[in-house]
Amino acid sequence: MLCQFERVIFPRDATASVNGFMIAVYKPCGTIRDAAGRILDQFKAVGYCLPTSNKVKYRMEGRWTKNSKHGLQYEVERYEEVITPTKEGIITYLASGQIRGIGKKTAEKIYDTFGQETLEILDKEPRKLLSVRGISEKKLKKIIDSYLANRGARDVIAFLAPHGVSPNRAVKLYREYGEETMDIVRNHPYQLCELAGIAFRTADKLAMSMGIDPRSPERVDEALMYTLTDAESKGHLCMEKHEFLRSCLKLLDTEGLTENMLAARAVKLIQDERLVTYGDSAFRSITARVESNLAYEIVKKLDGYVPPYDDLDNAIAAEERKLRFRLAPEQKEAIKMALTSKFCVITGGPGTGKTSVQKALLDLYRERFPSGKIACCAPTGKAARRMEHSTGLPASTVHHALGLLANEDGQYGDPETLDADLILVDEVSMLDVYLAEKLLKATPRNARLILVGDSDQLPSVGPGAVLKEIVGSGLVPVVKLDQVFRQKEGSRIAANAKLIRHGNLSLEYGPDFEFYDSTDLAVSADMIESIYLQEIAKYGVDNVVLLSPYRQKTETGVNALNQRIQGKVNPPDPSKNEAVYGQRRFRVGDKVMQTKNCEQINNGDVGYITSITGTASDAVVRIDFGDDRVVEYENSELEMLDLAYACTVHKSQGDEFKSVIINLQCAHSVMLVRPLIYTAITRAKERVIIVGERRALCIAIRRTDTEQRGTKLAMRIQEFMKYRREN
């Protein structure tokens, strides 16, 4: 059926449906009659990623259905543009608005360059468009993605959309497999698991709908791999073998499958080098390799010559006179260890003098080795800026120091070797195994490496428990600072952090550490909003944060609080442009957080929207992340952003705020553990306000039976060291 687009019925914004489902009205280009013989001058179409340009005609294939509620409608199975093979026809199609990045003038330039071969060039050799004046690499990517979504990848998008695969993911899939994509989707759906972002459950749903045997080896193999991948998303690098098989069996939920059958397939995956076992645990081979490399680099780092520091006791005494305060014995011990070791760890809670130790040891190192090169870094930009302020030396993120830029799948390449003789890394509890491995690999053989962190905080967002495992190996020199010094102004934050760390419920309350009782979630949300507005009036938006254990589900979850606060601090205004992605709405002035590694912006980085151009559904959003990092996002890239007035405790790691508002409810009980509440309150410099139930606070402080992360780093370090000593 030949037709032309008229209007969209659902969603109101054609890009707001994340899964691509649409209802639209079209005008027939010929005579069409309904069942009663009446001529239709328009009809309602339903389908996925329907075309919305009124400058092009479409040939649609599908079937008529009658819905009791919505009446006669046409279910679109596929469609294609009808492009007149003339100069005017091709230019009209290119400039129709369906291909982002091509307007009338650019369309004319493209046709003038390639003539009748234009569409073939777009299909097969799109990079040739770079020869057209005005088309840059960035613009070419926009054109290719849009063209694929409108032509080559369209069938894939329509086929996968009902199964929960977003159009963006479908385009990536098409880019990966090209013309073979539909064959793979229909006949080998589990291959989709190899593409980042398409999980086993989605591929499994596809496979089951196409009648693939639930006990097929392909299904079992991918389920085994997914079980480990899913565990990694929860922080584990490995799983105990029997727990691994039981979890996979539960995932497959298939009559006739047994643990022994799964074990046989696991053996085959080991032979194919997709799985690895170590001790009593199973790893994905890539994960095992990273953990093993890290352990090897740590042991290698413990060897080697360190230039001596003569008369260190007198040097420390002179530094005390310069700083005008006395260092505690454990602080002196930490400084001596850092200046006489090749590799060491300094750990301690807030207010225990880690900053003073860092400043003193750097002063002493520069005094003794004036030509020595120093590199200071931390996992987040804010932590790096604090480090720079406290030490007086330049500091950067670990990613920047290593020259790491993420590709479009959030993965990093190889690091650059650090040009330094002493490397000081703060907030090390945030390092996951992947970043830690890159850091150790990039550390020169003869450089000193000093890791500073708080091992009682929540472990990293990424997999592993690097700091705890290094300390737990018993082979790396460690000094733990425990004495609290930050008490001069009567601060209760550091004192309470120490009490929590030792499981003591007798917290001290006062103006800088308050608790507001509320057992009702809705009432708590009202109180949080009121308190937040008071705090930002005093400290400013950038110095206040709302922390909640949960992201979704409750009125005090991060998503609900962000929408609520946005409506108060940055309400809709005709003078402010907006951008929309699914249920997310962003405005100029909004505080936002990156949720995925991408080029120079890392997961967890916070910035402010400085401008939005274009329409809400086709906008370019400009964000300033500080440190001269200003980035533009197109609508399809807004999936990487969240509002950042509120965030989870995990996402707050490495940051400090003058005022921290924390919600604790028994409804969050599954998340309530000691490291969570400890991490939350230690984000505050001047003021902590807890809203919720005292019972929830007690649960969190008492709960020490937290799940141990699946990792064998400490064991590997010990094994490598034993082998090194024996050989």
Side-chain angles (χ1 to χ4, degrees):
M1 171 172 46
L2 197 63
C3 61
Q4 278 187 298
F5 168 76
E6 286 202 342
R7 71 181 190 277
V8 172
I9 296 175
F10 175 85
R12 275 183 255 175
D13 181 337
T15 65
S17 176
V18 177
N19 69 358
F21 179 75
M22 295 173 63
I23 304 172
V25 175
Y26 294 85
K27 178 183 178 181
C29 295
T31 302
I32 297 178
R33 299 177 186 272
D34 65 12
R38 290 178 299 233
I39 294 176
L40 298 176
D41 59 357
Q42 63 179 31
F43 66 93
K44 196 185 298 178
V46 297
Y48 291 86
C49 304
L50 297 178
T52 58
S53 174
N54 55 13
K55 297 179 181 177
V56 180
K57 293 180 181 179
Y58 303 97
R59 183 170 285 110
M60 289 185 169
E61 295 179 16
R63 61 193 179 94
W64 291 99
T65 61
K66 191 154 188 177
N67 186 293
S68 58
K69 183 177 179 182
H70 301 290
L72 187 69
Q73 53 191 26
Y74 192 70
E75 290 187 1
V76 180
E77 294 173 356
R78 66 184 307 274
Y79 69 88
E80 63 181 6
E81 298 92 348
V82 177
I83 304 169
T84 307
T86 63
K87 177 178 180 178
E88 184 182 3
I90 293 171
I91 289 174
T92 299
Y93 167 68
L94 293 178
S96 66
Q98 293 189 109
I99 306 174
R100 297 175 65 195
I102 299 182
K104 182 76 182 293
K105 288 184 179 179
T106 303
E108 289 172 347
K109 288 179 186 176
I110 292 172
Y111 186 85
D112 289 344
T113 305
F114 302 110
Q116 291 292 310
E117 296 180 357
T118 294
L119 297 182
E120 187 176 350
I121 293 293
L122 276 166
D123 277 326
K124 298 178 180 177
E125 300 177 279
R127 290 196 63 79
K128 283 189 174 181
L129 266 64
L130 288 171
S131 65
V132 177
R133 188 176 177 183
I135 297 182
S136 61
E137 284 281 359
K138 185 171 183 178
K139 193 168 188 177
L140 177 66
K141 182 181 183 303
K142 186 191 295 186
I143 291 169
I144 291 173
D145 285 353
S146 185
Y147 184 74
L148 285 176
N150 278 283
R151 286 185 69 79
R154 183 192 301 132
D155 291 344
V156 180
I157 291 170
F159 189 83
L160 292 176
H163 299 281
V165 179
S166 72
N168 287 341
R169 293 291 179 194
V171 168
K172 286 183 181 179
L173 184 64
Y174 187 84
R175 192 185 294 121
E176 179 90 4
Y177 295 113
E179 294 177 2
E180 298 177 7
T181 307
M182 284 307 298
D183 176 65
I184 290 169
V185 166
R186 288 194 171 104
N187 301 311
H188 306 284
Y190 292 106
Q191 281 192 31
L192 302 184
C193 296
E194 298 170 14
L195 183 73
I198 297 182
F200 170 81
R201 293 181 190 278
T202 300
D204 197 43
K205 186 179 174 184
L206 265 173
M208 294 300 98
S209 70
M210 289 182 282
I212 290 179
D213 184 353
R215 291 185 290 181
S216 68
E218 187 180 15
R219 181 174 186 248
V220 173
D221 289 355
E222 290 305 332
L224 287 163
M225 297 304 296
Y226 171 76
T227 300
L228 287 173
T229 303
D230 186 52
E232 287 175 28
S233 73
K234 295 167 182 159
H236 306 287
L237 293 168
C238 59
M239 295 180 74
E240 191 276 326
K241 293 174 186 175
H242 295 294
E243 178 59 27
F244 167 49
L245 295 175
R246 284 194 295 270
S247 295
C248 186
L249 200 60
K250 184 177 179 181
L251 170 70
L252 288 165
D253 190 23
T254 300
E255 188 176 349
L257 281 178
T258 65
E259 279 191 39
N260 286 339
M261 293 167 71
L262 266 59
R265 291 308 307 173
V267 169
K268 181 68 169 61
L269 290 174
I270 291 169
Q271 292 170 350
D272 292 341
E273 298 183 346
R274 294 180 69 189
L275 285 185
V276 170
T277 58
Y278 181 77
D280 62 353
S281 296
F283 291 75
R284 287 195 308 139
S285 58
I286 186 172
T287 312
R289 185 162 56 249
V290 169
E291 187 182 66
S292 181
N293 287 346
L294 175 57
Y296 175 75
E297 293 293 338
I298 287 170
V299 170
K300 193 167 71 171
K301 192 70 197 153
L302 290 168
D303 282 350
Y305 171 75
V306 177
Y309 197 115
D310 300 327
D311 204 9
L312 187 50
D313 286 327
N314 282 335
I316 291 174
E319 180 67 16
E320 285 180 309
R321 289 192 292 273
K322 179 180 169 184
L323 294 173
R324 296 184 179 180
F325 65 80
R326 296 293 297 274
L327 294 163
E330 61 191 26
Q331 290 178 302
K332 292 179 183 178
E333 183 187 352
I335 292 166
K336 287 180 180 179
M337 175 186 69
L339 293 173
T340 58
S341 303
K342 188 82 173 296
F343 177 38
C344 67
V345 173
I346 300 168
T347 180
T352 56
K354 297 192 298 294
T355 300
S356 298
V357 167
Q358 289 182 57
K359 179 168 177 51
L361 73 86
L362 288 174
D363 284 349
L364 290 166
Y365 179 82
R366 284 188 294 172
E367 183 179 285
R368 175 65 181 82
F369 305 103
S371 61
K373 296 177 182 176
I374 298 172
C376 296
C377 55
T380 68
K382 278 193 174 181
R385 284 193 292 274
R386 286 201 313 274
M387 196 178 190
E388 191 168 288
H389 178 74
S390 62
T391 64
L393 292 176
S396 71
T397 64
V398 176
H399 297 87
H400 181 75
L402 301 182
L404 296 175
L405 291 177
N407 60 26
E408 64 180 23
D409 291 323
Q411 303 301 310
Y412 293 109
D414 292 328
E416 298 173 0
T417 301
L418 287 162
D419 182 19
D421 302 299
L422 182 146
I423 301 158
L424 179 63
V425 189
D426 201 2
E427 297 286 358
V428 175
S429 63
M430 296 180 67
L431 290 185
D432 63 26
V433 69
Y434 296 109
L435 187 55
E437 185 233 14
K438 291 184 184 300
L439 173 65
L440 266 293
K441 270 189 173 181
T443 301
R445 177 172 174 78
N446 293 319
R448 287 179 170 86
L449 179 60
I450 305 162
L451 304 183
V452 182
D454 186 346
S455 58
D456 291 310
Q457 280 191 36
L458 284 168
S460 56
V461 174
V466 173
L467 182 57
K468 279 191 175 182
E469 289 288 295
I470 290 175
V471 172
S473 72
L475 294 172
V476 178
V478 176
V479 168
K480 184 158 188 175
L481 306 175
D482 195 50
Q483 184 179 342
V484 174
F485 299 99
R486 200 188 297 167
Q487 288 292 122
K488 293 178 181 177
E489 298 176 9
S491 170
R492 295 165 181 82
I493 297 169
N496 283 340
K498 183 174 180 179
L499 291 171
I500 289 170
R501 199 167 74 240
H502 294 291
N504 191 328
L505 301 176
S506 304
L507 305 187
E508 300 176 27
Y509 296 94
D512 60 347
F513 201 99
E514 298 183 88
F515 195 106
Y516 290 84
D517 283 291
S518 173
T519 59
D520 184 273
L521 289 168
V523 173
S524 294
D526 288 340
M527 293 173 68
I528 288 168
E529 177 189 306
S530 176
I531 293 167
Y532 181 83
L533 295 176
Q534 291 172 17
E535 294 299 287
I536 63 170
K538 181 178 179 181
Y539 296 109
V541 173
D542 208 33
N543 293 312
V544 181
V545 72
L546 299 175
L547 299 182
S548 177
Y550 263 17
R551 175 165 292 283
Q552 302 178 31
K553 298 183 181 179
T554 72
E555 294 98 320
T556 57
V558 168
N559 291 350
L561 287 174
N562 265 323
Q563 287 188 5
R564 185 174 185 141
I565 295 301
Q566 182 194 39
K568 293 293 182 181
V569 302
N570 194 22
D573 188 315
S575 66
K576 288 182 182 177
N577 283 352
E578 295 189 349
V580 176
Y581 182 83
Q583 301 302 311
R584 293 175 235 182
R585 188 172 293 272
F586 301 98
R587 301 185 186 109
V588 173
D590 270 333
K591 183 180 180 182
V592 293
M593 177 182 287
Q594 181 86 2
T595 60
K596 177 184 174 183
N597 296 323
C598 185
E599 296 183 353
Q600 77 268 40
I601 310 301
N602 302 311
N603 186 351
D605 283 354
V606 172
Y608 288 88
I609 297 177
T610 57
S611 71
I612 298 176
T613 55
T615 64
S617 60
D618 189 16
V620 175
V621 179
R622 190 176 178 87
I623 302 172
D624 186 349
F625 285 96
D627 301 323
D628 297 321
R629 295 177 304 157
V630 178
V631 183
E632 289 187 347
Y633 292 73
E634 296 174 6
N635 257 86
S636 61
E637 298 169 315
L638 296 181
E639 64 175 340
M640 298 188 292
L641 294 176
D642 271 335
L643 293 172
Y645 304 105
C647 69
T648 61
V649 180
H650 282 85
K651 286 287 188 182
S652 73
Q653 285 179 265
D655 284 342
E656 272 190 357
F657 305 88
K658 288 184 177 179
S659 177
V660 172
I661 305 162
I662 306 164
N663 178 244
L664 293 176
Q665 309 280 169
C666 291
H668 304 152
S669 60
V670 68
M671 300 291 292
L672 298 179
V673 293
R674 187 181 295 172
L676 182 131
I677 183 59
Y678 175 81
T679 301
I681 73 163
T682 55
R683 299 310 89 209
K685 290 193 289 184
E686 297 182 17
R687 189 163 157 81
V688 168
I689 303 169
I690 302 174
V691 177
E693 300 173 70
R694 291 186 184 273
R695 181 166 166 262
L697 176 61
C698 292
I699 289 171
I701 294 173
R702 284 183 176 138
R703 188 176 286 170
T704 56
D705 57 337
T706 55
E707 187 179 47
Q708 190 72 25
R709 284 198 164 183
T711 172
K712 299 293 180 184
L713 180 60
M715 182 187 295
R716 290 184 194 270
I717 293 170
Q718 292 164 349
E719 188 176 275
F720 274 124
M721 181 59 81
K722 181 181 178 184
Y723 176 82
R724 205 173 184 89
R725 285 169 176 168
E726 291 175 352
N727 293 275

